[in-house]
Amino acid sequence: MGSCFSYVADGRTAIGGTAINHRNPGDAANDAVDYFLRSRGHNGLYSQIELSFSASGLRDRDVLSKSDPIMILYARGKNGVLEELGRTEVILNSLNPAWITKHAIIYHFEVVQVLVFRVYDVDTQFHNANVKMLKLEEQQFLGEATCALSEIITKSDRSLTLDLHREDSMRPTNSQNYGKLSVHAEECVTSKTTIEMIFRCSDLEYRDLFSRSDPFLLISKVVEGGAHIPICKTEVIKNDLNPAWKPVFLNIQQVGSKDNPLIIECYNFNSNGKHDLMGKVQKSLVDLEKIHSGGQGENLFLSTAVGHNSHNKVLMSQLFVDKFSESVQYTFLDYLAGGFELNFMAAIDFTASNGNPRLPDSLHYIDHSGRPNAYQRAIVEVGEVIQFYDSDKRFPMWGFGARPIDGPVSHCFNLNGSSNYCEVEGIQGIMMAYTSALLNVSLAGPTLFGPVISNAALVASQSVAAGRRNYFVLLIITDGVVTDLQETRDAIVKASDLPLSILIVGVGGADFKEMEVLDGDKGEKLESSSGRVASRDIVQFVPFQDVQSGEISVVQALLAELPTQFLTYMRIRNIQPSL
């Protein structure tokens, strides 16, 4: 969803690599394009959702007729402030309205998007007024409801019914019925439509002194104001003036529509990053489809400036579209509707390098003022997002690098203190188990990830064997560099074949550069001691100090890749949702 796909050749990542391909999902992420988009606020998986609304059993506020309801949709920010997103039309004389007006909203997996719905009875004198001009304080308030967008889209039918309430109805002694509000979500079909194209060029010009050029294509969309935003690129083909690139997969949602203009630029790759423009064309997807069906090439051109004027120099080089096919891909939300769940697991570092938990300078210090430490913040921020995708909200929790009471150092022990089971209930259960563990273990070492990852992999493999529709997310929070790096690599490579993703948060001031080796974002696939290569990237690492004071939260930085990792696993194995 919202991704362009292509292939990587020869590890030539100086131009950014390429995004994961559903046919060759082990390929590396397009760092250059990804950075460009993220720097402009486009993070992780997004999809356009259309919400529709209906209500039943509303309170009747009119004397001579039934109420005339309108619904107002708000988004609640982290600071609690409400931002109005849209209004429905007014429906006359109805206590069970089904509004026609729908509202489109962008769903972001990595953010908890809290929605507030308020219903009003519009006074008769305002029935002919534009709903956008209505002053809500002049209307009668019928009730409100609140939920997270995730609660709606995780339902099998993507519908959620909420009780309407008023402030006075929230008191325990007040059981008045203010009616119900139903919200239904539909994923816009454009987010599922993918175009597969195969490009080639002929008669490219020589740009290298002692060899032929090394061409690649960069595809950008033209936005309002004429700016170009890169959305896709091919691999580099070495020493070839008539290159044919591997398939490119472009999501319609990225482009906006098939009629929107695209700039396709052909560059000669240079290792210093200063790539030479060899020519370009401006075409929409409709135009590219016509080029394919016609079987003729399109001449590249270069813009040249002469004095105060500029014109396009048409080149002998041509661009061909050897394949153009359109298909609908199953999306992340399709799998959720088909009954798939994300199951949250966490492992906490209890090594001595964290410092004495009883002292304020310890990373494990529990502040009596209620201010959470870095471990607590990471647990809550990640858990609050994942919990909506886990129906029973029972989370396996482990600790490592500590000595439980009257026992040897353990590198994977149940955080709840039980020797029989490892689950806790809800985010509150995690926090209670963590606090209790600090009182019942002695911090030790070293920092070993292998046992925890192997344990999580065992849970995932048992789920696969039982035929369950689960995908597991292991959060590891640590203050130090991993000691068993090769054993950890081996465990990750083995786990890459399972429905499992690993999120690692580094807390404290340690140098975590070695940890980035485990994160495959830079295109380097992990390799085990036996030479086996990971089938896909399943690790995302973030140093907590890099994100805790910035606009990007640890949740957004950690979770942005998770839906793509989920989809990669499903597509590698051709697992389809039962819709």
Side-chain angles (χ1 to χ4, degrees):
M1 301 167 63
S3 296
C4 165
F5 303 108
S6 186
Y7 293 74
V8 172
D10 304 323
R12 301 173 73 80
T13 56
I15 56 171
T18 49
I20 296 172
N21 180 285
H22 76 283
R23 295 188 181 182
N24 191 3
D27 290 334
N30 188 337
D31 294 340
V33 174
D34 183 64
Y35 176 78
F36 184 94
L37 295 175
R38 289 194 185 199
S39 67
R40 285 154 179 77
H42 302 287
N43 295 296
L45 172 87
Y46 61 92
S47 181
Q48 186 167 352
I49 303 294
E50 189 175 70
L51 299 178
S52 54
F53 315 96
S54 62
S56 60
L58 297 180
R59 297 295 296 274
D60 193 354
R61 292 286 179 171
D62 293 346
V63 177
L64 301 178
S65 63
K66 294 183 173 66
S67 294
D68 308 312
I70 185 174
M71 200 282 299
I72 320 295
L73 174 64
Y74 301 88
R76 174 174 287 152
K78 285 187 175 181
N79 56 4
V81 175
L82 296 183
E83 175 192 358
E84 184 177 321
L85 300 181
R87 301 183 178 192
T88 67
E89 78 276 16
V90 179
I91 294 185
L92 303 181
N93 300 318
S94 179
L95 302 182
N96 303 286
W99 290 282
I100 296 174
T101 303
K102 296 174 173 55
H103 182 79
I105 187 171
I106 300 298
Y107 159 68
H108 298 271
F109 168 78
E110 69 271 25
V111 181
V112 178
Q113 297 168 270
V114 179
L115 302 178
V116 177
F117 314 89
R118 289 182 176 173
V119 181
Y120 292 85
D121 174 24
V122 177
D123 193 272
T124 305
Q125 62 179 308
F126 300 111
H127 284 180
N128 294 323
N130 186 325
V131 294
K132 294 181 180 178
M133 305 303 294
L134 289 177
K135 295 181 179 179
L136 298 178
E137 63 270 17
E138 296 177 348
Q139 318 307 321
Q140 292 200 62
F141 178 58
L142 297 180
E144 78 171 36
T146 303
C147 73
L149 180 58
S150 304
E151 293 181 80
I152 304 171
I153 55 92
T154 51
K155 298 296 182 184
S156 59
D157 58 356
R158 294 180 186 157
S159 296
L160 183 65
T161 299
L162 303 162
D163 289 324
L164 290 169
H165 62 78
R166 298 174 54 149
E167 286 188 9
D168 56 355
S169 72
M170 297 183 71
R171 299 170 187 162
T173 57
N174 194 321
S175 60
Q176 292 190 49
N177 179 18
Y178 290 92
K180 296 181 182 296
L181 178 76
S182 296
V183 187
H184 179 71
E186 283 290 337
E187 186 176 15
C188 296
V189 70
T190 54
S191 64
K192 304 180 185 181
T193 305
T194 298
I195 305 295
E196 178 184 357
M197 293 177 286
I198 295 179
F199 293 107
R200 65 179 170 91
C201 280
S202 66
D203 300 316
L204 294 177
E205 297 180 354
Y206 280 87
R207 289 301 177 95
D208 291 340
L209 199 57
F210 301 108
S211 65
R212 295 186 178 90
S213 300
D214 304 328
F216 69 92
L217 297 180
L218 176 67
I219 303 174
S220 303
K221 69 176 178 180
V222 181
V223 296
E224 191 174 345
H228 300 171
I229 295 181
I231 56 174
C232 188
K233 69 168 192 57
T234 67
E235 79 279 15
V236 176
I237 296 182
K238 294 181 62 177
N239 200 29
D240 197 336
L241 298 179
N242 298 282
W245 290 277
K246 292 178 180 177
V248 163
F249 295 81
L250 187 63
N251 190 298
I252 290 288
Q253 183 171 300
Q254 293 173 284
V255 181
S257 79
K258 292 182 70 173
D259 294 310
N260 283 7
L262 297 173
I263 302 292
I264 304 175
E265 298 169 301
C266 184
Y267 285 94
N268 175 41
F269 173 86
N270 284 313
S271 57
N272 62 7
K274 297 179 180 179
H275 314 304
D276 304 314
L277 180 61
M278 304 175 71
K280 61 183 177 180
V281 297
Q282 178 170 323
K283 298 291 177 183
S284 67
L285 286 173
V286 170
D287 297 330
L288 293 172
E289 188 171 18
K290 289 178 180 178
I291 293 173
H292 166 67
S293 60
Q296 301 296 315
E298 181 75 17
N299 287 88
L300 303 182
F301 67 85
L302 286 173
S303 299
T304 59
V306 180
H308 296 290
N309 300 316
S310 63
H311 71 282
N312 294 331
K313 176 186 176 182
V314 179
L315 306 176
M316 294 293 294
S317 308
Q318 287 191 315
L319 175 75
F320 293 84
V321 183
D322 287 344
K323 181 176 183 179
F324 187 102
S325 65
E326 185 173 331
S327 62
V328 174
Q329 296 248 331
Y330 289 116
T331 66
F332 179 67
L333 297 187
D334 286 333
Y335 284 94
L336 295 183
F340 285 85
E341 293 192 4
L342 300 181
N343 298 112
F344 182 47
M345 305 184 283
I348 297 175
D349 183 342
F350 285 92
T351 55
S353 54
N354 283 280
N356 187 339
R358 294 172 178 80
L359 300 179
D361 60 351
S362 170
L363 292 170
H364 280 307
Y365 180 69
I366 303 297
D367 194 326
H368 297 296
S369 69
R371 180 182 179 183
N373 62 35
Y375 282 91
Q376 292 171 311
R377 282 190 59 188
I379 290 169
V380 170
E381 290 191 28
V382 175
E384 283 185 341
V385 171
I386 299 291
Q387 65 175 337
F388 293 110
Y389 305 87
D390 191 328
S391 60
D392 67 3
K393 295 179 174 53
R394 295 183 62 85
F395 310 130
M397 292 293 303
W398 301 291
F400 60 93
R403 181 180 291 106
I405 295 176
D406 300 327
V409 174
S410 174
H411 300 292
C412 186
F413 58 89
N414 296 335
L415 200 67
N416 59 15
S418 170
S419 58
N420 300 318
Y421 64 96
C422 59
E423 292 181 335
V424 298
E425 292 190 15
I427 304 300
Q428 189 61 33
I430 297 175
M431 302 304 283
M432 291 174 61
Y434 167 65
T435 304
S436 177
L438 287 173
L439 302 174
N440 293 293
V441 302
S442 299
L443 275 58
T447 304
L448 306 182
F449 283 2
V452 164
I453 294 174
S454 296
N455 223 24
L458 177 61
V459 174
S461 64
Q462 290 172 340
S463 175
V464 171
R468 301 189 189 101
R469 293 180 291 183
N470 301 89
Y471 190 92
F472 296 86
V473 182
L474 171 64
L475 171 66
I476 300 177
I477 314 173
T478 182
D479 83 312
V481 178
V482 60
T483 307
D484 61 337
L485 186 58
Q486 189 56 59
E487 290 80 1
T488 297
R489 284 176 182 243
D490 292 346
I492 292 173
V493 169
K494 186 176 180 181
S496 67
D497 292 329
L498 295 168
L500 174 67
S501 286
I502 301 170
L503 313 178
I504 303 175
V505 176
V507 297
D511 183 356
F512 291 110
K513 287 183 179 178
E514 286 188 20
M515 293 285 242
E516 295 178 2
V517 174
L518 305 177
D519 191 331
D521 282 355
K522 295 184 178 179
E524 298 178 6
K525 296 180 181 178
L526 279 185
E527 187 174 320
S528 71
S529 54
S530 64
R532 183 185 173 195
V533 176
S535 60
R536 61 192 180 95
D537 172 25
I538 66 170
V539 176
Q540 179 73 358
F541 170 74
V542 174
F544 198 64
Q545 60 186 6
D546 285 359
V547 293
Q548 62 181 343
S549 59
E551 293 183 4
I552 300 176
S553 75
V554 66
V555 167
Q556 292 168 317
L558 272 175
L559 298 178
E561 287 187 14
L562 188 55
T564 300
Q565 292 179 357
F566 173 95
L567 287 173
T568 300
Y569 175 81
M570 297 300 167
R571 289 169 180 169
I572 283 177
R573 284 152 185 80
N574 196 30
I575 299 172
Q576 299 182 355
S578 52
L579 299 175

